[in-house]
Amino acid sequence: MSFKVAASDFDGTLFINQEISAENLSAIRNWRAKGNKFGIVTGRAYIMLPAHLKEFDLEIDFAICDNGAIIHDGGGKIIFETELPKKILSKIIKEPFAAKSLHFAFETAEKVYCANVNPNSWVLREQNRWNFPVEMIDSAQIESLPKINQLALDFESPDAAQAAADMLNQKFGEIIFAQKNTHSLDIVSAGVNKARGVENLLRICDWRGEVFVIGDESNDLPMIRHFGGFTVATAKDFVKREAKKIFDSVGAMLNHFA
């Protein structure tokens, strides 16, 4: 059976101003009703998603999380996973720039473990509203944690996050890949990104149809470039310049290609 696959970034693309619009929800349901696949590809850990999916009554066919480091099927089952070496993480959080981060968020399949959390950290704000599993730890406990898919740091500006990413990629680039995600810094294993995440999904599920991707931030650029993807009208200009077409919304893209 022939079908199409659509993969959307979450924050700033599908989820805007703490909402998934009725237009987007209707378009997703129509897309899937025609036998096509729809899922989310995000820098978030999977455990941050279920509360949102429940609130907006949104069913998905897959979730590519932690920028491609872990992939879940529509029921939440892990079908692909990578692990960050804990010794490298211990080195990263001791780098001078790390002292300026508002948190160290060690993201695993079941929980986010947080160390050195500033009261202004977005993890606290999100956890208070959406109640996903978070455990506060001391950074010395890293070695005892479960498999870590992503380390997320948070800075006061996008420029600070980009400077930290550049430094880490120069120093540890053979082992990890660091990228700016607005004012956050997302660190995954080398070779992991959203484009590779979508490719891994297609390979594992043996899906061969047309692929449509859409995003709005710098961590979406690998998949936008690789798949000739799209962006939304609210995206940054540097993303718009690389997108094949700009849509008003995710729903508008789905309706265009349905």
Side-chain angles (χ1 to χ4, degrees), residues 204-246:
I204 292 166
C205 296
D206 196 25
W207 291 348
R208 303 175 186 274
E210 291 181 90
V211 178
F212 304 93
V213 303
I214 187 166
D216 76 306
E217 250 296 347
S218 51
N219 62 328
D220 297 311
L221 289 177
M223 71 175 183
I224 290 173
R225 291 166 178 157
H226 185 74
F227 290 99
F230 309 100
T231 192
V232 289
T234 53
K236 306 290 194 305
D237 286 341
F238 67 85
V239 179
K240 291 179 178 179
R241 286 194 292 269
E242 301 215 35
K244 190 174 182 179
K245 183 178 175 65
I246 301 168

Side-chain angles (χ1 to χ4, degrees), residues 51-166:
H52 296 77
L53 301 180
K54 181 178 180 180
E55 171 155 325
F56 297 104
D57 192 24
L58 174 60
E59 294 184 4
I60 58 176
D61 297 294
F62 60 87
I64 301 169
C65 297
D66 290 334
N67 290 294
I70 186 168
I71 303 174
H72 299 255
D73 67 14
K77 178 183 176 182
I78 298 171
I79 59 175
F80 175 85
E81 187 175 15
T82 62
E83 180 178 11
L84 278 166
K86 294 183 174 71
K87 292 187 183 300
I88 291 296
L89 299 183
S90 296
K91 292 180 180 179
I92 289 172
I93 65 173
K94 293 175 184 175
E95 291 287 333
F97 76 87
K100 298 179 181 179
S101 177
L102 300 181
H103 62 238
F104 301 145
F106 303 94
E107 298 178 4
T108 75
E110 303 294 335
K111 188 181 293 186
V112 176
Y113 296 87
C114 286
N116 293 46
V117 180
N118 182 289
N120 294 321
S121 161
W122 66 258
V123 168
L124 294 181
R125 187 168 61 250
E126 286 279 305
Q127 200 274 335
N128 286 337
R129 176 169 182 182
W130 300 101
N131 195 33
F132 56 83
V134 172
E135 181 176 331
M136 299 301 166
I137 64 167
D138 186 277
S139 56
Q141 295 175 260
I142 294 175
E143 290 289 343
S144 65
L145 296 181
K147 185 182 293 184
I148 300 169
N149 308 120
Q150 177 171 266
L151 168 61
L153 280 64
D154 189 26
F155 294 92
E156 293 185 352
S157 72
D159 288 344
Q162 186 61 61
D166 293 341

Side-chain angles (χ1 to χ4, degrees), residues 184-195:
S184 295
L185 174 65
D186 295 340
I187 302 165
V188 291
S189 297
V192 171
N193 58 45
K194 288 190 175 185

Side-chain angles (χ1 to χ4, degrees), residues 2-10 13-14 24 27-42 58-64 71-72 194 197-199 201-202 207-215 223 227-230 247 249-258:
S2 176
F3 57 81
K4 302 170 184 177
V5 178
S8 173
D9 172 52
F10 193 67
T13 302
L14 180 63
N24 282 337
I28 292 168
R29 291 175 186 131
N30 290 337
W31 177 267
R32 297 182 72 242
K34 293 181 179 181
N36 299 317
K37 306 295 184 183
F38 177 84
I40 292 167
V41 53
T42 177
L58 174 60
E59 294 184 4
I60 58 176
D61 297 294
F62 60 87
I64 301 169
I71 303 174
H72 299 255
K194 288 190 175 185
V198 176
E199 287 285 3
L201 171 78
L202 299 174
W207 291 348
R208 303 175 186 274
E210 291 181 90
V211 178
F212 304 93
V213 303
I214 187 166
M223 71 175 183
F227 290 99
F230 309 100
F247 287 98
S249 64
V250 174
M253 181 194 76
L254 296 177
N255 291 334
H256 182 81
F257 291 110

